[in-house]
Amino acid sequence: MAASDVASIALELDSAAERDHERDFSELAGRLERTGCDAEEVIAAVHHFEVALPSWAFATGGTRFGRFPGAGEPRSLREKMEDAALVHRLTAGAPRLSLHIPWDEIRDINEVLDDARRLGIGFDAVNSNTFQDQPNQRLSYKLGSFSNPDAAVRRQAIEHHLHVIEVGKLVGSKAISVWLADGSDFPGQMSLRGSFDRVRECLQEVYAAMPDDWRLFTEHKPYEPSFYATVVQDWGSSLLLAQSLGDRAQCLVDLGHHLPSTNIELVVARLLGAGKLGGFHFNDSMYGDDDLTAGSIRPYALFLIFHELVLAERERLPGFDPAYMIDQSHNLKDPIEALLQTVDQLQQSYAKACLVDHDELAAHQASGDVMMAERTLKRAYDTDVRPLVAEARRRRGAALDPVLAFRASGYRAQKAAERPAAPPSAARTHL
Ligand code: RM4
Ligand code: MN
Ligand code: MN
């Protein structure tokens, strides 16, 4: 299948499924109308919702114990772009790919831009990588990159980030996401304050090198690979960095990067309040950085996060412009199917959050009616919005049910024939 053939994938489900959908949608629209909600408004909102796809999620991830690759996985940036275009084609909600450098190092920029044009996709935030040593790298990041006590290592890490910005400029990115693995395994290994100061100083250089219309996202994570103290371990550290860098530095919330039972919607609310919510890495997690499919474990929490986002949107909170991205590792599911399921899940969570009656909620909060306030949220959450998001996709020429459409398309079997497995050394493990 050539790159341009993605567009020709037939999407018709059988006519019985179409008829069922029409019935389900008009029934839902009628029910929503009775509660004062306009289905058309929610469809328009879903049409606005866009999420970026992570280039590193199209091949099977794996754990440190092993990796079980599937057939037909992409072996090059072009093939990742093809898969990304397919996900967008079936969901109408994922028009951009987020690159990870050096995993997606570009050899021929004109080729990449040609492919992107033909496939109808763009590029989102670029991601740096100083959490691994690359072949032929001069100095090691074993003891940290931006926090390293050795100035030469810090210089090398800064140079890498400047390079990532250059790559991003070529493809039209408008942001760089920085996740640092820096930290220590044992008390005494590093200075807790000194390491943070060094990270801030390095980030200042990176920030200063960005074009004026770019943003820098700092991503926190409590542990792993560092098991005693991670330098940017929590949203507070991330916020301090963003605040000290400047207006175009903001915090990125990866939903898996919190200790179990953290109230993530509260973190989101705090960052929104500070004008520092930059974006998301959507996924779900049972324990920590599990990178499971968004909404698979705690769908209500995902809805509550979207509720904070929709509130901010409606209130036109100054500077509110979150970059939505997915960051998942697909160990068991077909990566394309998992991404299709995720975009669908995000569209649903967003649509449900749009159904919340904010006036009613505010009135119950003001009068202290705990029961009715909670019921107001739950009513939106309990609404089965699947026909609504299916209709939103259908009107954009995408699929009623993206996963079923993908299975019916024969895309995976075709790719399995076209893309013989890469040698093990070329296989990337998601971290
Ligand atoms: C990290 C973090 C980053 C991602 C890497 C691959 O755990 O989530 O966002 O770029 O994994
Ligand atoms: Mn992430
Ligand atoms: Mn992660």
Side-chain angles (χ1 to χ4, degrees), residues 99 101 105-106 126 162-172:
L99 301 183
I101 306 299
E105 206 61 77
I106 290 173
V126 269
L162 303 188
H163 167 67
V164 172
I165 291 173
E166 289 309 312
V167 175
K169 282 195 218 164
L170 291 176
V171 297

Side-chain angles (χ1 to χ4, degrees), residues 143-380:
L143 296 180
S145 58
F146 283 171
S147 75
N148 201 297
D150 182 344
V153 178
R154 299 202 296 279
R155 177 57 42 204
Q156 177 180 283
I158 291 172
E159 294 301 329
H160 167 70
H161 282 77
L162 303 188
H163 167 67
V164 172
I165 291 173
E166 289 309 312
V167 175
K169 282 195 218 164
L170 291 176
V171 297
S173 297
K174 292 285 173 228
I176 177 170
S177 297
V178 182
W179 172 67
L180 294 178
D182 292 37
S184 56
D185 271 1
F186 300 99
Q189 182 187 322
M190 69 179 192
S191 153
L192 298 182
R193 273 189 290 125
S195 53
F196 189 72
D197 291 344
R198 291 193 285 272
V199 166
R200 188 176 42 224
E201 278 163 26
C202 292
L203 282 173
Q204 270 158 356
E205 272 199 50
V206 177
Y207 184 86
M210 287 194 308
D212 290 346
D213 57 347
W214 273 47
R215 287 187 289 170
L216 183 150
F217 301 139
T218 53
E219 180 181 358
H220 64 274
K221 180 175 172 178
Y223 69 94
E224 197 211 18
S226 297
F227 291 111
Y228 167 62
T230 298
V231 180
V232 191
Q233 63 144 6
D234 53 16
W235 67 273
S237 306
S238 182
L239 178 62
L240 286 174
L241 288 174
Q243 282 176 333
S244 69
L245 291 174
D247 287 348
R248 291 176 296 113
Q250 293 181 310
C251 305
L252 188 148
V253 178
D254 182 311
L255 299 191
H257 290 196
H258 302 88
L259 296 174
S261 83
T262 298
N263 182 337
I264 303 177
E265 59 273 24
L266 186 58
V267 172
V268 170
R270 287 292 170 274
L271 292 174
L272 281 170
K276 284 295 188 188
L277 182 82
F280 281 87
H281 272 181
F282 288 113
N283 53 49
D284 212 338
S285 177
M286 187 69 194
Y287 301 102
D289 205 28
D290 307 346
D291 283 329
L292 300 174
T293 324
S296 60
I297 307 288
R298 293 190 183 90
Y300 190 45
L302 184 61
F303 161 79
L304 293 172
I305 289 166
F306 270 106
H307 169 58
E308 292 303 320
L309 297 169
V310 170
L311 264 176
E313 207 172 86
R314 300 257 169 103
E315 287 168 12
R316 296 186 201 286
L317 216 63
F320 176 71
D321 182 20
Y324 296 130
M325 294 172 260
I326 297 172
D327 186 5
Q328 295 180 167
S329 177
H330 306 119
N331 301 337
L332 304 178
K333 290 175 179 169
D334 179 307
I336 293 181
E337 290 190 4
L339 289 167
L340 292 169
Q341 185 186 34
T342 301
V343 180
D344 174 51
Q345 172 68 65
L346 297 176
Q347 289 170 328
Q348 286 189 48
S349 299
Y350 180 59
K352 285 184 184 201
C354 290
L355 297 182
V356 174
D357 187 329
H358 294 117
D359 294 338
E360 190 186 318
L361 182 63
H364 293 317
Q365 287 173 348
S367 68
D369 195 333
V370 180
M371 170 63 73
M372 297 313 283
E374 187 198 22
R375 277 177 55 126
T376 304
L377 280 183
K378 270 286 178 67
R379 190 176 67 228

Side-chain angles (χ1 to χ4, degrees), residues 89-139:
R89 165 97 182 91
L90 297 181
T91 61
R96 287 178 303 281
L97 186 64
S98 196
L99 301 183
H100 220 308
I101 306 299
W103 295 346
D104 300 307
E105 206 61 77
I106 290 173
R107 273 191 300 269
D108 182 338
I109 183 64
N110 292 326
E111 217 173 72
V112 171
L113 295 178
D114 275 356
D115 285 342
R117 249 190 309 274
R118 195 166 58 241
L119 290 162
I121 58 163
F123 296 93
D124 212 274
V126 269
N127 299 258
S128 58
N129 179 340
T130 56
F131 49 83
Q132 292 174 318
D133 285 345
Q134 305 300 330
N136 305 322
Q137 185 178 303
R138 215 162 41 85
L139 302 167

